[in-house]
Amino acid sequence: MAKPLTDQDKRKQISVRGLAGVENVADLKTNFNRHLHFTLVKDRNVATKRDYYFALANTVRDHLVGRWIRTQQHYYEKDPKRVYYLSLEFYMGRTLQNTMVNLALENACDEATYQLGLDMEELQDIEEDAGLGNGGLGRLAACFLDSMASLGLAAYGYGIRYEFGIFNQKIVNGWQVEEADDWLRYGNPWEKARPEYMRPVHFYGRVEHTADGVKWLDTQVVLALPYDTPVPGYRNNIVNTMRLWSAKAPCDFNLKDFNVGGYIQAVLDRNLAENISRVLYPNDNFFEGKELRLKQEYFVVAATLQDIIRRFKASKFGSTEFVAIQLNDTHPALAIPELMRILVDIEKVSWEKAWDIVVRTCAYTNHTVLPEALERWPVDLFQNLLPRHLEIIYEINRRHLERISKLYPGDNDRLRRMSLIEEVDNRKINMAHMCIVGSHAVNGVARIHSEIIKDTIVLVCVFNLRHTQEYFHSHSQIMNSTMFVVLHKFSFVNGLSWRSQIVLSITEYGCPLCFQAAPGYHTAKMIIKLITSIGDIINNDPVVGDRLKLIFLENYRVTLAEKAIPAADLSEQISTAGTEASGTGNMKFMLNGALTIGTMDGANVEMAEEAGEENLFIFGMRVSDVEALDKKGYDALSYYNHIPELKQAVDQISGGFFSPSQPNLFKDLVNMLMHHDRFKVFADYEDYIKCQEKVSALYKNSKEWTKMVIHNIAGCGKFSSDRTISQYAREIWGMEPSLEKIAAPDDPR
Ligand SMILES: *Cc1c(COP(=O)(O)O)cnc(C)c1O
């Protein structure tokens, strides 16, 4: 069965064996075979590669179990402050390698699989990505879980176990086509269902105000079934929990009160309730006000708060100061009215006392200032789905406005600006305003972004009105440093047959010409088609030959990012200043030895500060220039008329040079750039081209280039998520991070 060994294999075997430990390897092999037999129910004659992957995953998982139980026992005994990270997205990617690295098992597993005649890397490639996120916001949540465990914080991630994560992107004739991400098809070895902790979540119904308090009656119930995934810290024996809820119809669903179609129809209708956790909304920086999305947001919040309160009631000290809830954007903002409802309606706490607890417990992270991304839910939708929460929000707002009118008598314009309820066309609830009023700490995701939100939404909403201490702190964030390592730099490029211009991901704003589009998002899809069309021309041009290729990397996701980012030499971070809250790809490239060409926006500002501005290629307008241009009025036509090169490029696009069979294909796109471009990209064009010329000149001088790379890598420490989480712990949660280990299961207690 074993393959003949090459010299390279033998060297690898020797070097690995030195580190792996013979006993460990023997045990791993035994356990691998045991799982193949007892868990997968296969022998080696019929086992598939996927069976081998599952056997390996289960073997590694066994090493987590004792640590996981021990960690939870430790928290129960020590009763430290708990932090709850609430997020509608956790963009985890793959788990096997991260687990092996954090448990120091990688070398031993490599050796064990090798001795079994298997290639570990090939098995790792079989694992599906847990693609439960769109991009930066979800990946941030995943990195934060890793860092919270590595820093010994008693932390829990709470979210939704979407049956379908972010869609798989196929490119067909240059167009994006979406496919469902059926990531659970073969089972998920990392999760453990906990049906014994199922919780009811209520929707719809009516509110009754009675002598002994407020009652929410005649609701429809959906059950929230928790699935737990272990989150190991880096070699500290800590394993925290990410708990994701799945929707389950109760056994009597539609059989009692809504029995119209009879038994068969009632059973078929269970799907309706279970649709709540069916699919992740593929919207990055975009608000889509659908009822199903509001149901998802309440579902995760209601189930999670029941869990938090159960754990709180079981704790020894029982102080509300020992609970922190962090809201990842406004998506879980209903935690604020829901906690009020539990405290006031169920626990019979006074409104004032309850509000004090809510504000001291909750903190909110803002992720964007783009108006199309801000959650503003129509009041009618709320009235129908969550009638009691609407009343509570009205009462929060009444008291909020009362305080403002005392401070600013007669200032009706201020009242209108600061209200949680917007009166434009249909009445809408401004969720960002609610989060700011209901939190003791608000932060942005980069220093410049924190400054911008202070000057805009926060100032507008609660100027001078803090309940407790106000925290603003800039921070930046990056993946855990084990995630993207420099190793891939050459292997990835060598995997392609020519030097390539690689287009990665991403969203429309700020990166006007590249991305993965949410389905139905027309402009975004047209931009993808434009990129692939330009690629078709360049890649088949006989004069250009093999000197330049433009590749659109299909189906960008965590696993692809881990391979592609370390292979890059130049990172383009070219958002119009003031539009990108932070960016995180910029930091990943920096860590991995790419140089940045970028605007003074988001975290680029702090990257330039850390590495030295002379070690980045900075171009274009600053935020103040953009504001000045807005005042003056942006006129795309004047740039088009005065920059011949720009005119030629635009004319080629609109004239069908890149789409000869459909000459008018990109007319609308060009029309947008010429007449309604919110991002004013032509204003940065000339400076961008000049800056690219500097890049090209420097690239020829590999010694100078390398020097700049070293300054960047040396300066990227600030962008560690461990650093960020330490700051959150101290400044927002009032907790002390620790690098201490707890005892491993095989250590004597
Ligand atoms: C980091 C990351 C993102 C976010 O990148 P930004 O540059 O912050 O937009 C999106 N998708 C994946 C897979 C990532 O790893």
Side-chain angles (χ1 to χ4, degrees):
M1 196 81 208
K3 296 176 284 192
L5 299 186
T6 62
D7 284 345
Q8 198 189 349
D9 287 340
K10 283 177 195 157
R11 273 200 305 279
K12 183 174 162 191
Q13 200 173 12
I14 292 160
S15 67
V16 165
R17 222 175 238 156
L19 291 165
V22 178
E23 268 167 54
N24 222 352
V25 171
D27 285 350
L28 287 167
K29 282 164 68 182
T30 306
N31 288 320
F32 178 95
N33 286 325
R34 182 173 56 81
H35 275 299
L36 192 64
H37 186 81
F38 288 103
T39 310
L40 281 306
V41 197
K42 286 281 179 85
D43 65 33
R44 290 202 61 165
N45 295 317
V46 290
T48 63
K49 287 274 163 65
R50 182 169 283 107
D51 293 322
Y52 292 134
Y53 158 70
F54 277 107
L56 178 59
N58 278 290
T59 303
V60 170
R61 177 188 172 281
D62 289 347
H63 289 256
L64 283 168
V65 170
R67 290 175 169 87
W68 198 3
I69 291 174
R70 279 277 189 111
T71 301
Q72 302 311 312
Q73 282 172 349
H74 177 80
Y75 293 157
Y76 182 80
E77 284 156 19
K78 287 265 151 64
D79 205 15
K81 182 162 185 172
R82 310 300 210 283
V83 56
Y84 296 100
Y85 197 83
L86 271 61
S87 179
L88 270 280
E89 302 184 18
F90 287 93
Y91 203 174
M92 305 296 281
R94 289 177 179 158
T95 294
L96 176 58
Q97 189 180 19
N98 184 251
T99 307
M100 292 190 298
V101 167
N102 282 14
L103 268 48
L105 280 174
E106 203 177 16
N107 290 328
C109 286
D110 196 19
E111 178 63 15
T113 45
Y114 180 83
Q115 289 184 15
L116 290 162
L118 299 166
D119 178 348
M120 190 167 78
E121 274 186 42
E122 195 185 341
L123 300 188
Q124 284 176 22
D125 249 353
I126 292 166
E127 180 171 357
E128 297 271 349
D129 273 39
L132 309 186
N134 280 282
L137 175 149
R139 184 54 231 173
L140 184 75
C143 289
F144 279 6
L145 292 187
D146 179 286
S147 287
M148 290 188 289
S150 295
L151 291 166
L153 300 173
Y156 303 79
Y158 273 98
I160 295 178
R161 179 182 178 271
Y162 300 107
E163 191 178 329
F164 296 90
I166 189 68
F167 61 86
N168 284 310
Q169 180 193 52
K170 290 268 150 65
I171 301 293
V172 179
N173 296 325
W175 296 94
Q176 168 173 296
V177 175
E178 302 85 26
E179 276 184 4
D181 166 43
D182 194 3
W183 71 294
L184 294 166
R185 180 182 320 213
Y186 296 100
N188 174 3
W190 306 107
E191 68 183 11
K192 178 75 186 83
R194 300 284 192 200
E196 68 276 25
Y197 300 136
M198 207 131 61
R199 316 252 166 228
V201 176
H202 298 260
F203 294 101
Y204 305 108
R206 63 189 175 83
V207 181
E208 216 174 84
H209 291 255
T210 70
D212 46 286
V214 181
K215 301 221 157 68
W216 183 18
L217 302 165
D218 301 335
T219 55
Q220 283 181 34
V221 174
V222 178
L223 298 175
L225 166 59
Y227 285 77
D228 290 351
T229 299
V231 181
Y234 181 73
R235 299 187 188 181
N236 61 358
N237 299 318
I238 285 176
V239 180
N240 284 343
T241 301
M242 174 176 73
R243 177 162 283 184
L244 302 181
W245 302 100
S246 178
K248 192 101 180 87
C251 296
D252 61 358
F253 185 78
N254 267 6
L255 283 167
K256 282 192 312 204
D257 310 325
F258 306 95
N259 188 2
V260 273
Y263 166 72
I264 295 289
Q265 195 55 47
V267 175
L268 297 180
D269 286 350
R270 294 170 62 84
N271 277 326
L272 269 38
E274 294 172 1
N275 276 341
I276 290 176
S277 57
R278 196 76 68 205
V279 59
L280 166 75
Y281 275 88
N283 295 324
D284 197 13
N285 276 294
F286 186 76
F287 172 59
E288 196 181 338
K290 292 283 193 298
E291 187 188 58
L292 180 60
R293 169 69 179 194
L294 185 59
K295 279 186 179 169
Q296 291 183 339
E297 295 185 354
Y298 181 63
F299 176 74
V300 58
V301 158
T304 301
L305 278 172
Q306 291 177 64
D307 234 26
I308 293 175
I309 292 201
R310 175 192 53 77
R311 204 172 284 118
F312 167 74
K313 286 185 171 175
S315 73
K316 289 184 190 153
F317 304 131
S319 163
T320 56
E321 299 293 317
F322 275 55
V323 181
I325 294 176
Q326 190 68 34
L327 306 174
N328 196 23
D329 212 324
T330 58
H331 313 152
L334 284 165
I336 290 165
E338 173 67 358
L339 187 49
M340 284 302 287
R341 188 185 71 83
I342 294 169
L343 293 172
V344 174
D345 294 358
I346 301 172
E347 302 293 336
K348 308 294 180 194
V349 175
S350 74
W351 181 280
E352 291 74 15
K353 182 88 210 306
W355 185 244
D356 185 58
I357 293 171
V358 167
V359 171
R360 289 151 85 93
T361 303
C362 295
Y364 157 60
T365 304
N366 174 281
H367 281 263
T368 181
V369 289
L370 296 183
E372 68 272 27
L374 299 180
E375 288 195 297
R376 292 148 72 245
W377 287 103
V379 161
D380 347 343
L381 229 150
F382 249 82
Q383 176 71 63
N384 185 42
L385 188 71
L386 300 166
R388 178 55 184 149
H389 295 79
L390 183 62
E391 290 185 351
I392 290 171
I393 291 167
Y394 279 154
E395 180 59 15
I396 294 171
N397 194 40
R398 191 188 65 75
R399 289 166 183 253
H400 169 58
L401 295 180
E402 197 174 271
R403 278 198 311 270
I404 294 170
S405 40
K406 278 202 188 116
L407 276 167
Y408 305 96
D411 192 345
N412 287 331
D413 189 51
R414 183 181 298 270
L415 287 181
R416 187 190 48 72
R417 279 199 325 265
M418 294 186 176
S419 177
L420 309 193
I421 313 291
E422 290 180 10
E423 302 286 349
V424 285
D425 35 87
N426 282 320
R427 305 176 86 200
K428 293 192 173 107
I429 305 168
N430 185 314
M431 305 300 269
H433 285 194
M434 188 173 75
C435 285
I436 292 163
V437 174
S439 300
H440 68 280
V442 177
N443 71 288
V445 285
R447 192 210 297 141
I448 189 175
H449 173 61
S450 293
E451 293 301 321
I452 289 171
I453 63 177
K454 265 197 272 184
D455 293 346
T456 55
I457 56 170
V458 179
L459 198 72
V460 165
C461 185
V462 284
F463 177 69
N464 220 4
L465 268 179
R466 300 312 313 166
H467 312 268
T468 58
Q469 195 180 355
E470 177 180 355
Y471 293 99
F472 278 107
H473 68 103
S474 58
H475 80 273
S476 309
Q477 68 293 131
I478 202 172
M479 69 310 315
N480 47 309
S481 51
T482 52
M483 187 173 144
F484 296 102
V485 285
V486 186
L487 268 173
H488 294 287
K489 195 161 205 85
F490 302 102
S491 62
F492 186 81
V493 172
N494 292 342
L496 299 170
S497 47
W498 351 258
R499 277 206 68 72
S500 312
Q501 292 276 314
I502 294 168
V503 178
L504 279 184
S505 114
I506 341 326
T507 47
E508 183 191 6
Y509 78 93
C511 181
L513 291 178
C514 50
F515 49 128
Q516 175 155 357
Y521 196 175
H522 181 253
T523 307
K525 289 194 166 186
M526 288 309 298
I527 295 172
I528 290 173
K529 176 63 178 170
L530 175 61
I531 294 167
T532 54
S533 301
I534 294 173
D536 285 345
I537 298 294
I538 293 176
N539 300 345
N540 295 302
D541 188 298
V543 178
V544 172
D546 278 353
R547 282 180 283 249
L548 176 69
K549 297 285 174 189
L550 189 153
I551 313 287
F552 185 92
L553 287 183
E554 199 170 305
N555 204 22
Y556 185 60
R557 61 200 186 283
V558 174
T559 300
L560 183 54
E562 287 172 330
K563 296 184 170 100
I565 290 174
D569 286 320
L570 186 65
S571 161
E572 303 226 17
Q573 305 294 336
I574 58 179
S575 52
T576 306
T579 65
E580 171 61 275
S582 168
T584 53
N586 45 6
M587 307 168 192
K588 301 172 196 174
F589 284 107
M590 185 189 191
L591 172 68
N592 283 285
L595 295 184
T596 300
I597 179 169
T599 50
M600 273 298 191
D601 197 19
N604 298 354
V605 177
E606 289 158 86
M607 286 163 51
E609 193 171 295
E610 296 296 308
E613 197 170 328
E614 68 282 9
N615 292 308
L616 280 78
F617 299 98
I618 298 291
F619 72 93
M621 298 178 285
R622 309 301 197 249
V623 172
S624 55
D625 300 322
V626 177
E627 285 166 359
L629 182 57
D630 273 330
K631 275 215 185 101
K632 191 181 112 194
Y634 167 67
D635 176 20
L637 207 69
S638 69
Y639 299 95
Y640 171 87
N641 286 329
H642 289 107
I643 310 168
E645 212 175 24
L646 174 62
K647 181 175 188 304
Q648 187 186 0
V650 169
D651 289 349
Q652 283 187 331
I653 295 168
S654 63
F657 181 85
F658 298 108
S659 53
S661 62
Q662 290 165 276
N664 292 328
L665 191 58
F666 301 118
K667 277 255 151 70
D668 290 349
L669 208 54
V670 168
N671 192 46
M672 183 272 287
L673 286 171
M674 298 284 283
H675 303 292
H676 340 268
D677 177 13
R678 304 161 51 210
F679 298 105
K680 305 179 268 285
V681 294
F682 289 0
D684 273 340
Y685 177 85
E686 209 166 14
D687 204 23
Y688 172 68
I689 297 297
K690 268 196 214 138
C691 195
Q692 279 286 11
E693 280 159 9
K694 278 202 273 178
V695 171
S696 300
L698 199 90
Y699 194 69
K700 290 185 195 146
N701 184 344
S702 65
K703 200 170 162 193
E704 285 305 309
W705 183 277
T706 305
K707 261 194 205 167
M708 272 173 77
V709 167
I710 290 169
H711 279 285
N712 273 269
I713 296 174
C716 76
K718 182 184 184 188
F719 309 109
S720 147
S721 59
D722 287 1
R723 198 278 305 152
T724 308
I725 284 297
S726 297
Q727 197 179 349
Y728 272 66
R730 296 199 176 99
E731 295 182 22
I732 303 177
W733 304 327
M735 297 164 83
E736 199 45 45
S738 153
L739 293 175
E740 272 172 46
K741 294 182 180 182
I742 66 170
D746 39 13
D747 289 350
R749 282 217 216 201

